[in-house]
Amino acid sequence: MRQLFRFLYQHGSHLAFGAILMAMSSFGQTYFVSLYGQDLRQAFGLSDGGLGGLYAAGTVMSAVTLTWAG
């Protein structure tokens, strides 16, 4: 336990920097789709599965494009 506290003390700035980056990266596409999923389903007349299927198809298509575009 003493080693853990020593590590946290010695590397606190690096750990804080990593935690901040992790928190800032959470505001991505999935986060906003989860926030506005109900509104998207209502606006386009989709079921939960329909929205999930479209989101999955878009994710796969972007992955294919990413491997091509590099």
Side-chain angles (χ1 to χ4, degrees):
M1 191 67 153
R2 188 175 261 163
Q3 291 176 342
L4 174 64
F5 289 128
R6 187 178 309 139
F7 178 81
L8 292 174
Y9 179 75
Q10 291 175 346
H11 301 287
S13 61
H14 294 104
L15 293 169
F17 180 71
I20 290 169
L21 286 178
M22 185 179 65
M24 291 178 68
S25 70
S26 68
F27 295 105
Q29 178 179 344
T30 303
Y31 180 76
F32 286 109
V33 168
S34 70
L35 282 179
Y36 299 108
Q38 183 177 4
D39 296 331
L40 289 170
R41 286 192 312 271
Q42 288 177 352
F44 296 106
L46 297 170
S47 65
D48 288 336
L51 180 61
L54 284 175
Y55 187 74
T59 301
V60 170
M61 288 172 38
S62 72
V64 169
T65 304
L66 185 62
T67 59
W68 170 74

